[in-house]
Amino acid sequence: MEGMDVDLDPELMQKFSCLGTTDKDVLISEFQRLLGFQLNPAGCAFFLDMTNWNLQAAIGAYYDFESPNISVPSMSFVKDVTIGEGESIPPDTQFIKTWRIQNSGAEAWPPGVCLKYVGGDQFGHVNMVMVRSLEPQEIADVSVQMCSPSRAGMYQGQWRMCTATGLYYGDVIWVILSVEVGGLLGVTQQLSSFETEFNTQPHRKFLSS
């Protein structure tokens, strides 16, 4: 673990190692959370199985054997393109959530990367969208088809970029949704559609007499 900046609370790790739980799903979930979703569940299970399902030993094995060989891509969240802060959506409404992201690193992303749902509310059945490989400092918009919940309230979900080998990287991307009866999404979409149609029509000039 030399050279690694690993900030894990020893007391917390001791508590987990003393849990004595045989629930492998719990251990996988905790392992994934402690790594900041850097590894998919299958990868977590590999290290836990290798260390006889000892959480503390598995964390050490991951940093000892994996991290020196990993070149982690970089990704920065730029802004919400659609459904920004303060926008409300009616219940049971289809919508497209779009984020703007950037490859903030010095190397191009590897092929086969995707944006994956990792926690919170999912807003529909889509849990992954493929993303093209971005060049260094390149910016792109990523969209996911979603559907608002049937009940009014505040909801939130988290998404992360993921390599083809299951390595999560970059900023956590949030969906924060305000669901309200009479929400403005439908109205704003209609206005946007009308404005687009209007702007494509020939403009008439009215001459005053």
Side-chain angles (χ1 to χ4, degrees):
M1 295 174 67
E2 184 177 354
M4 294 299 301
D5 183 15
V6 183
D7 184 19
L8 295 174
D9 186 341
E11 290 186 12
L12 180 66
M13 293 307 304
Q14 187 62 32
K15 286 178 182 177
F16 279 127
S17 66
C18 294
L19 278 176
T21 179
T22 56
D23 189 338
K24 293 182 177 181
D25 288 337
V26 171
L27 288 170
I28 289 172
S29 176
E30 291 298 342
F31 188 13
Q32 191 177 33
R33 188 181 65 80
L34 285 168
L35 291 182
F37 295 101
Q38 290 292 336
L39 205 60
N40 65 11
C44 294
F46 171 79
F47 284 101
L48 284 162
D49 190 60
M50 185 173 68
T51 55
N52 199 27
W53 296 88
N54 180 301
L55 187 61
Q56 191 169 9
I59 292 282
Y62 170 79
Y63 283 112
D64 285 343
F65 297 117
E66 281 290 315
S67 293
N69 303 317
I70 290 177
S71 176
V72 183
S74 299
M75 185 279 286
S76 295
F77 169 75
V78 178
K79 71 171 187 175
D80 292 300
V81 179
T82 63
I83 321 300
E85 185 177 353
E87 289 190 64
S88 58
I89 297 180
D92 287 321
T93 299
Q94 298 282 337
F95 66 96
I96 295 176
K97 174 64 185 179
T98 303
W99 303 273
R100 186 158 296 159
I101 60 174
Q102 180 179 28
N103 177 354
S104 50
E107 298 180 9
W109 289 351
V113 298
C114 63
L115 181 67
K116 294 184 75 170
Y117 161 78
V118 294
D121 299 298
Q122 188 172 335
F123 308 116
H125 301 296
V126 179
N127 61 6
M128 182 267 289
V129 290
M130 299 303 297
V131 179
R132 66 183 175 86
S133 177
L134 298 185
E135 295 297 322
Q137 305 307 311
E138 186 179 0
I139 294 174
D141 289 353
V142 180
S143 298
V144 178
Q145 178 74 46
M146 296 183 172
C147 183
S148 61
S150 57
R151 294 186 178 183
M154 290 295 296
Y155 299 87
Q156 60 184 28
Q158 299 89 46
W159 295 65
R160 287 201 74 179
M161 289 298 299
C162 185
T163 66
T165 56
L167 179 70
Y168 290 99
Y169 67 93
D171 294 339
V172 176
I173 296 181
W174 290 78
V175 187
I176 300 176
L177 206 59
S178 172
V179 177
E180 299 177 10
V181 176
L184 297 178
L185 177 72
V187 176
T188 56
Q189 282 183 335
Q190 290 169 21
L191 286 175
S192 175
S193 175
F194 172 78
E195 183 178 316
T196 301
E197 183 179 347
F198 178 79
N199 287 337
T200 59
Q201 300 297 320
H203 286 256
R204 295 179 180 177
K205 293 183 179 179
F206 294 93
L207 301 177
S208 57
S209 54

